[in-house]
Amino acid sequence: MSVLYDLSANTIRRLYDARIDTPPVLDAGIYFPDAVRFAKAWHAIRDEALAVAARMQAIPRFHEVMPAQRPISANDGKDWRVYILKVYGADIDKHLAACPTLAQLIASTPDVLSATLSFLAPRKHIPRHRGPFRGVLRYQLGLSVPVDAQGRPAAVLSLDDQEHRIGNGEHLLWDDTYPHEVWNHSDEMRAALLLDVRRRHMPADMRLLSNALIASVGLVARWRGID
């Protein structure tokens, strides 16, 4: 199953790489104008995330939701737990109900395809990998991010070999098809909001392909009953 996933991901990635050439970090004002609405609400979103985190052991590890991702989730014995609210158009109603501020933002933002609260355990490392699908972009909002001895965010995203530290209330719009890895260099949990958002400004044929892929992933999510 993992081999099939890799083959499919590589094929899709090559199609998009040949047609879309944008940098690893994109201008949210151009590609996701609603980013500012989430950033302005980060305090309320953080409070909802921390309330969810109080039941941490009930939140699945990423590889328990997506077994093909075991190599990057179960690599070091430390947890990467994900509280999924939406998967490619499929709403997880009970999770949305637990996060009313975030649920309202998601419902009023059509470009949001998926939404996840991501919890990295202390000292967790997510190894270098690439996403498969350039038709969507990743929006990351820092919610509860520990700091290091220099006062910098202790969680580090290395994206295309460039370091990014996304602190509390800070956000970044990035293309996860570029090689990336993550470290939590602290003894505290790191919480962040991750959104997959529909890429704007694509050629018409790529837009049609993206719509088909998004619909297919949504159907699979609904069939699997991800919760």
Side-chain angles (χ1 to χ4, degrees):
M1 189 70 178
S2 178
V3 173
L4 179 60
Y5 173 87
D6 290 341
L7 288 172
S8 300
N10 288 334
T11 300
I12 292 168
R13 192 183 293 120
R14 283 194 295 269
L15 283 172
Y16 280 87
D17 287 353
R19 299 297 309 283
I20 298 173
D21 183 18
T22 52
V25 176
L26 295 103
D27 186 333
I30 295 172
Y31 286 93
F32 184 44
D34 284 310
V36 66
R37 297 174 57 235
F38 287 85
K40 286 180 177 178
W42 82 269
H43 286 100
I45 299 171
R46 177 202 58 196
D47 291 348
E48 292 176 353
L50 293 180
V52 167
R55 307 184 301 277
M56 185 66 74
Q57 295 307 308
I59 301 171
R61 300 171 180 89
F62 186 37
H63 61 275
E64 293 170 342
V65 177
M66 294 188 66
Q69 302 304 321
R70 177 172 288 274
I72 65 170
S73 175
N75 58 300
D76 60 2
K78 298 178 176 64
D79 288 346
W80 176 15
R81 294 183 181 265
V82 291
Y83 189 80
I84 300 173
L85 297 99
K86 184 174 183 175
V87 185
Y88 279 74
D91 290 342
I92 312 300
D93 291 334
K94 66 180 181 181
H95 292 178
L96 289 165
C99 303
T101 299
L102 184 52
Q104 190 278 327
L105 284 164
I106 293 168
S108 61
T109 313
D111 282 344
V112 172
L113 303 171
S114 298
T116 301
L117 293 172
S118 171
F119 302 101
L120 287 188
R123 305 296 169 180
K124 174 64 180 174
H125 172 225
I126 301 174
R128 187 177 174 94
H129 64 288
R130 296 178 67 190
F133 182 30
R134 192 161 280 188
V136 299
L137 299 171
R138 174 66 47 79
Y139 172 78
Q140 182 170 336
L141 175 64
L143 298 177
S144 182
V145 183
V147 297
D148 64 16
Q150 288 75 45
R152 304 174 302 170
V156 178
L157 165 67
S158 175
L159 175 62
D160 199 33
D161 297 320
Q162 296 295 312
E163 183 179 286
H164 300 272
R165 295 174 183 262
I166 306 166
N168 290 335
E170 297 176 346
H171 61 114
L172 191 73
L173 185 69
W174 52 284
D175 182 342
D176 81 341
T177 66
Y178 283 90
H180 60 281
E181 59 187 312
V182 180
W183 294 267
N184 179 3
H185 292 304
S186 82
D187 296 319
E188 301 175 49
M189 177 269 295
R190 185 226 68 180
L193 171 66
L194 303 178
L195 304 178
D196 285 341
V197 301
R198 192 183 304 272
R199 179 189 278 268
R200 299 185 175 199
H201 313 299
M202 286 192 295
D205 57 338
M206 290 290 95
R207 188 164 61 250
L208 289 172
L209 176 60
S210 293
N211 289 341
L213 289 170
I214 289 165
S216 297
V217 175
L219 283 173
V220 171
R222 284 186 284 273
W223 175 73
R224 289 183 59 189
I226 290 177
D227 60 7

